[in-house]
Amino acid sequence: SGYQSATSNGFLSFATYNSGWTEAMRIDKDGSVGIGTGTNTPEGQLEVSDASGGHLVVRRDDTSVNAANNIGTISFQSRDSAVSGGSHAQIQVKSIEAATSNDTPSSITFQTIKNGVSSLSDNMVLYQGNVGIGDTPDTILHVTQSGGQVLMDSGGDDHIYLYAGDNSSNSPAIGWDSGSLRLYAGGN
């Protein structure tokens, strides 16, 4: 069993009993909600806290997950009438194939609105350990964009390399070194 308590200090708390009453959730005077331990003063509109780490679950309430099903979405929105549907960005998890026993292939997609476009588009997709920018990846790094460029910035250093292998002196590489474009065949 549990109890709730409203106070003149401007908060509403909910407690549970396990060898004594423990506050489990609090809504403060500003409407912020704290769930778990140590949430007497939530630092955001929602704080989930626990000594072993906060845990938030977004679950699809379906007993049969199929290919391309949305498992869960976190949306970042505003009420600005200039923004179509209010969406600015979202993080979405989708199933890739139908789930089988202990096998649930899925992807996580980060979507934003590109300048001049009114709808969300896939910017980065993580799938089976691969990263896709602009597309679902079928290799370790898959970049797709019409007329796009890939920028590798050395951060002020005058050396930058793209290695095929383990970045040792025996690996083939292409790089920029002190103002020159260099091609290394490995072992040189």
Side-chain angles (χ1 to χ4, degrees):
S1 68
Y3 77 88
Q4 65 200 29
S5 170
T7 71
S8 61
N9 294 334
F11 68 86
L12 172 65
S13 66
F14 298 85
T16 58
Y17 187 83
N18 184 7
S19 302
W21 290 102
T22 304
E23 185 174 311
M25 183 174 86
R26 176 180 291 219
I27 303 172
D28 72 11
K29 63 180 177 50
D30 298 318
S32 295
V33 177
I35 301 172
T37 60
T39 55
N40 289 343
T41 54
E43 293 186 23
Q45 291 174 313
L46 174 64
E47 179 180 335
V48 179
S49 179
D50 187 78
S52 60
H55 186 117
L56 181 65
V57 176
V58 177
R59 182 186 316 265
R60 180 184 176 90
D61 191 15
D62 188 350
T63 58
S64 179
V65 175
N66 296 305
N69 281 161
N70 180 12
I71 304 302
T73 303
I74 300 172
S75 294
F76 302 88
Q77 301 183 353
S78 71
R79 296 194 187 280
D80 187 334
S81 62
V83 179
S84 175
S87 289
H88 291 267
Q90 68 183 23
I91 301 169
Q92 185 175 62
V93 174
K94 281 190 173 181
S95 61
I96 299 298
E97 301 171 13
T100 59
S101 178
N102 296 322
D103 185 22
T104 55
S106 59
S107 67
I108 183 167
T109 303
F110 298 85
Q111 300 174 311
T112 60
I113 295 179
K114 295 178 183 176
N115 193 19
V117 179
S118 62
S119 61
L120 291 167
S121 59
D122 295 354
N123 292 110
M124 186 169 72
V125 179
L126 305 176
Y127 171 63
Q128 294 187 342
N130 298 332
V131 176
I133 300 173
D135 204 348
T136 301
D138 55 13
T139 59
I140 292 172
L141 177 61
H142 184 144
V143 180
T144 302
Q145 182 174 338
S146 176
Q149 300 176 4
V150 176
L151 173 65
M152 294 173 50
D153 189 335
S154 66
D157 190 4
D158 203 18
H159 311 288
I160 193 164
Y161 297 95
L162 180 60
Y163 291 94
D166 62 5
N167 85 347
S168 71
S169 61
N170 294 322
S171 298
I174 186 169
W176 182 260
D177 190 348
S178 301
S180 299
L181 182 63
R182 298 177 187 255
L183 179 62
Y184 298 92
N188 297 333

